[in-house]
Amino acid sequence: MAAPMELFCWSGGWGLPSVDLDSLAVLTYARFTGAPLKVHKITNPWRSPSGTLPALRTSHGEVISVPHKIITHLRKEKYNADYDLSARQGADTLAFMSLLEEKLLPVLIHTFWVDSKNFVEVTRKWYAEALPFPLNFFLPGRMQRQHLERLQLLCGEHRPEDEEELEKELYQEALECLTLLAQRLGSHRFFFGDAPASLDAFVFSYLVLLLQAKLPSGKLQAHLRGLPNLCAYCTHILSLYFPWDGGKARWRGGTGPWDSGQGLQERAPPPTFLPCPSAEVPPPRQTPAGPETEEEPYGRRNQILSVLAGLAAMAGYALLSGIVSIQRAAPARTPDTRALGMAEEDEEE
């Protein structure tokens, strides 16, 4: 019997199954298709088989760490959320995916990783509290630098020199993107009818992160909350596919806050501005997913290794930055060759 597929992803927060955009998209797609995954929600990327999150270990032991490649593998395993789409809908999917990456993703990165108030009070706060010691001291800053590099790649050569002008341009395009998504969704349950597709997994991931986080600086969030059908869309998916993770949050409509509700797993929240959607979850393409487990693989061995690696990284940083220095006394006699070789090797390491 083949080993089960295992998905390693960032743990949840803010009423969501995961706080990471890529992890959330893969989790949502897997839930849409009913792919039987053993899910490990962790807060230490070093415990992933690839060292990054999300990562999928296939039934044959192969490790895939790119979200789009993970979804492609699930499709090859007959878990395809786009199986019933027409050629026209497939083309629309590609167009909207490109729109999300070009117009909405840069602002999401800017909102969570560049905006100083949001980064300090929301993003870094969550990761610093969730990550184990000593990773919580340096990994949030490293992740911020990685997201800044990703933002630079997304902006490309057309990036304005003035940071304020860049921010204004990015946010204006993101506002237009949200409005276009609201118009395209209309009063439908999903973007292509009554069953979710891969586009829904990505749109939901982008929107629900922005909607759920308590951002002190949230210009784009305020605009999203003014689009009631997109808010109801996020609530509907949360309540039906993640009822035990964040599905008890209900959107009241308008610009009001989230509040708690009861029985949302059985009955979808009735928005005041849309017809009440059916609460039945569309049947998965394949065998329903097995129970999701929060059990983290491996054990005390990896925890000890993580702590030792972190301590080594902190010691290396202290040496390189000059906080700690090593001074050697001049030798009273000429050392032998072997001792000299070992000293040089230690310095190189």
Side-chain angles (χ1 to χ4, degrees):
M1 182 177 178
M5 291 186 291
E6 296 181 80
L7 178 64
F8 299 79
C9 61
W10 280 103
S11 183
W14 311 329
L16 300 174
S18 178
V19 300
D20 174 64
L21 178 63
D22 293 334
S23 296
L24 188 55
V26 173
L27 275 172
T28 304
Y29 182 89
R31 192 60 56 82
F32 284 169
T33 61
L37 299 176
K38 183 177 181 182
V39 177
H40 305 283
K41 293 183 179 181
I42 57 180
T43 56
N44 184 352
W46 291 1
R47 302 184 70 176
S48 161
S50 67
T52 59
L53 297 172
L56 178 73
R57 177 183 284 141
T58 70
S59 56
H60 303 292
E62 179 187 3
V63 176
I64 307 172
S65 58
V66 179
H68 287 282
K69 292 183 178 180
I70 293 175
I71 291 178
T72 299
H73 178 79
L74 294 178
R75 287 174 176 166
K76 292 179 179 179
E77 295 293 320
K78 312 302 182 185
Y79 300 100
N80 188 354
D82 297 338
Y83 182 79
D84 295 326
L85 296 187
S86 65
R88 172 68 180 275
Q89 291 171 333
D92 288 345
T93 298
L94 294 177
F96 274 96
M97 290 292 294
S98 178
L99 182 70
L100 290 174
E101 185 171 331
E102 292 180 9
K103 307 299 182 182
L104 200 52
L105 179 57
V107 175
L108 281 179
I109 294 176
H110 189 279
T111 298
F112 285 94
W113 295 97
V114 179
D115 186 286
S116 58
K117 288 182 65 66
N118 291 340
F119 177 70
V120 171
E121 299 181 26
V122 178
T123 309
R124 187 175 67 183
K125 182 177 183 293
W126 187 91
Y127 283 97
E129 292 176 352
L131 287 164
F133 174 84
L135 297 182
N136 55 346
F137 280 97
F138 62 87
L139 196 54
R142 175 184 172 186
M143 295 173 66
Q144 184 188 40
R145 291 189 294 272
Q146 291 173 342
H147 281 85
L148 288 173
E149 293 174 359
R150 189 178 183 184
L151 179 61
Q152 292 174 351
L153 290 175
L154 290 170
C155 293
E157 299 178 354
H158 302 289
R159 176 179 178 178
E161 296 294 334
D162 191 303
E163 290 295 329
E164 293 184 1
E165 184 65 26
L166 170 64
E167 181 179 347
K168 181 180 178 181
E169 180 180 316
L170 291 178
Y171 275 85
Q172 182 59 38
E173 293 179 348
L175 295 178
E176 296 173 356
C177 179
L178 289 179
T179 302
L180 181 61
L181 288 173
Q183 294 173 350
R184 176 62 179 81
L185 179 63
S187 59
H188 299 292
R189 296 176 63 197
F190 303 103
F191 276 86
F192 298 115
D194 293 330
S198 61
L199 177 61
D200 294 285
F202 284 94
V203 173
F204 166 75
S205 303
Y206 279 68
L207 299 186
V208 80
L209 268 177
L210 188 62
L211 201 59
Q212 285 282 81
K214 296 180 180 179
L215 301 173
S217 177
K219 294 179 291 185
L220 191 63
Q221 185 182 66
H223 183 75
L224 175 58
R225 289 179 172 176
L227 301 171
N229 64 332
L230 291 183
C231 298
Y233 168 82
C234 292
T235 307
H236 183 63
I237 293 178
L238 264 181
S239 63
L240 294 183
Y241 292 95
F242 302 100
W244 50 86
D245 289 304
K248 290 187 177 180
R250 179 180 0 217
W251 179 254
R252 288 184 172 183
T255 58
W258 292 86
D259 70 350
S260 60
Q262 299 295 331
L264 293 184
Q265 184 175 356
E266 293 79 21
R267 178 173 56 86
T272 58
F273 36 80
L274 290 175
C276 181
S278 169
E280 295 183 359
V281 180
R285 308 293 183 188
Q286 290 284 344
T287 307
E292 188 174 39
T293 176
E294 298 292 337
E295 178 186 0
E296 298 181 356
Y298 316 110
R300 188 172 184 82
R301 176 181 62 107
N302 283 350
Q303 293 180 355
I304 296 174
L305 289 177
S306 297
V307 171
L308 292 176
L311 291 175
M314 294 176 66
Y317 175 78
L319 288 172
L320 292 175
S321 60
I323 297 176
V324 177
S325 61
I326 299 176
Q327 296 181 352
R328 290 190 174 90
R333 60 185 178 83
T334 304
D336 59 31
T337 305
R338 186 177 62 176
L340 180 60
M342 291 179 62
E344 292 178 346
E345 183 178 354
D346 290 341
E347 289 180 354
E348 290 177 355
E349 290 181 352

